[in-house]
Amino acid sequence: MSELIFFQLAVILVIAFLVSYIIRLLKQPLIIGYIIAGIIVSPFLISFGATGEITNVFSKIGIAFLLFIVGLHLNPKIIKKIGVQFLLIGLAQVIITFLLAFIVSIKILGFDVVASLYVGIAIAFSSTIIIMKLLSDKKQLDSLSSNMSIGILIVQDLIAILVLIFISTTSFSSGFSGFGSLAIKTFLIGAGLVLGLFLFGFFVLSKFIKHVAKSQELLFLFSICWAFLASALFVFFGFYLEIGALLAGMILSVSPYSTEISSKIKPLRDFFLIIFFIILGLNLDLSNISVVVFDALILSAIVLFFKPVILMVFMALFKHTKRTSFLVSTSLAQISEFSLIILILGVSLGHISGEILSTLTLTLIITIIGSTYMIIYSREFYNYSSKWLSFLWKKNSKENKKLLKRKYNAILFGYNRTGFEILRALTKLKKHYLVVDFNPDTISTLNKFRIPSLYGDAEDFEFLNELKLEKIELAISTIPDYETNFLLIESIRLVNPDAVIIARAENIHEALEFYKKGADYVLTPQFLGGEHIAKMIKSIKTNKKGYEKEKEKHIGRLREILKKSKGNLKTSPYFNGKFHY
């Protein structure tokens, strides 16, 4: 038996490698290769007894472990960071998408009520696995739009957990007759487990992990142990281990060691991602593909088109920029891995047929492929779609129009840790300046201290045209995104060849590209620290007192930044009300 498992695993990895290698040669996303490999491998595995108990156990462990890794990136504090509005946006999107899919399933596809409920639930959620993988590959996990997407994903996953608990305690086929006192008791136990795990993580685990983290090997072993322990706890109480696995990751995500844990486990992520797509292939019955393909295409249209539109409408209502709304909305245009788990549960309970599972599995594959290209080529999709989306966004407010009418000598694009120091220098100039940022909370904070600031997106052509770039003397961008800075330099140089342009680059290649494009100076944060230390060594040499003076200056600066990050700006000398308009 062990030889059979080893043989199956070898076949999976060899085919996955060969297909992915070909996909890479064709310059296509590797996820597409994983999907194709899963479809190719699945019939072979079935012929070798892949539907047996061994493969089921292996696939469950694979999905559970993958969800644990995903949970490590779903820090619940993100919701607080980006505001309660994303709790509302996430809830509204789930409800409206569910209702739309439910109505389409009954009226157009002809499904019964129970099947339509499952379809609505499956369509409503987005794939945390796919989004985290693609954003990580693009190195955009820390961007504002990514944080917004993750905030909505957290809301969705928590709802999905409750749905899983609910379905496992009731029976739709008996007209909800199973939802009696025992079902209510079971549901409350599940909710209690979720709450209990979070409380345990906050009060006990956070203190214990400090001792474990002293050893990197022990930290890795503890992380795996914690994932399996939480999963086993849910299984013991009659629930699905995937719930415990995701929650275990989310609890560790608030730990200061979450980055270390994630980096150590990251190599395993792609392996289990392959397993996930193999499971997809196993649930796709190719014998009736012609029967389910039409229904899958209809449902895919809802996911790829209507779900992003629903999200964009709500984000426009909360006054987020057009580009940010587009990036967030299109990143969520696929079906979740939780949807697959819910559907498999529905089949095992006799609520839905295998044909419905095949339909939604094909929909999942189609939407993953579609959304993968939408995320990777988000800039191109945005440039094409931008003019069609303008009706959702109102024109500039009266206050913004006043700001745009003024003449500015300097514009700072992006108010972040780097921009904080630059703003301090700009306040000492006897020239008018403007801060541009696409985080509404940042603009709100700056407005409180009467700092001239404008909510806008530096990659929006229409917005840049309103800034009168031809009249500025200095433009500084601390935005870490390469494409945004490239466009900014290009736009300014087109109308203003004499302006001084300072841009930020994340590596040497980007810096050289910006200089070639026309930047006067490129900020490279990863090298500035070394340059500063080198200057200190040359000037101070080994004079202990000299370093003590620099230390005091640095401590003072760090404390000021720390106060700002906590929102306590009134005590900071950087913000004393003396700003030049």
Side-chain angles (χ1 to χ4, degrees), residues 8 30 55 123 135 202 208-209 249 251 339 360 418 427 473 477 488-489 493 495 530 543 566 576:
Q8 290 177 355
L30 276 181
T55 307
I123 295 296
L135 293 178
F202 182 78
F208 177 73
I209 201 171
I251 290 167
S339 301
L360 270 299
T418 309
T427 58
E473 300 173 17
S477 173
L488 198 56
I489 296 170
R493 278 289 170 256
V495 297
N543 185 347
K566 291 180 179 179
N576 53 14

Side-chain angles (χ1 to χ4, degrees), residues 93-95 97-98 101 119-126 156 307 339:
Q93 178 267 311
V94 168
I95 293 170
T97 307
F98 166 79
V119 170
I121 291 169
I123 295 296
F125 303 129
S126 302
Q156 290 186 0
K307 185 189 284 189
S339 301

Side-chain angles (χ1 to χ4, degrees), residues 462-482:
E462 297 174 9
F463 175 73
L464 291 179
N465 289 334
E466 294 178 336
L467 287 178
K468 298 182 178 65
L469 298 175
E470 67 277 5
K471 297 181 179 180
I472 63 172
E473 300 173 17
L474 173 65
I476 307 169
S477 173
T478 64
I479 300 170
D481 184 67
Y482 170 78

Side-chain angles (χ1 to χ4, degrees), residues 396 400 404 411 413 434-437 454-469:
N396 287 312
N400 283 355
L404 290 170
I411 299 180
F413 294 93
L434 176 70
V435 179
V436 173
D437 199 284
L454 194 62
Y455 176 61
D457 190 346
E459 202 171 351
D460 190 327
F461 288 103
E462 297 174 9
F463 175 73
L464 291 179
N465 289 334
E466 294 178 336
L467 287 178
K468 298 182 178 65
L469 298 175

Side-chain angles (χ1 to χ4, degrees), residues 360-376:
L360 270 299
T361 300
L362 181 57
T363 304
L364 177 56
I365 292 172
I366 293 171
T367 56
I368 286 175
I369 293 174
S371 64
T372 295
Y373 285 105
M374 289 169 72
I375 293 173
I376 292 176

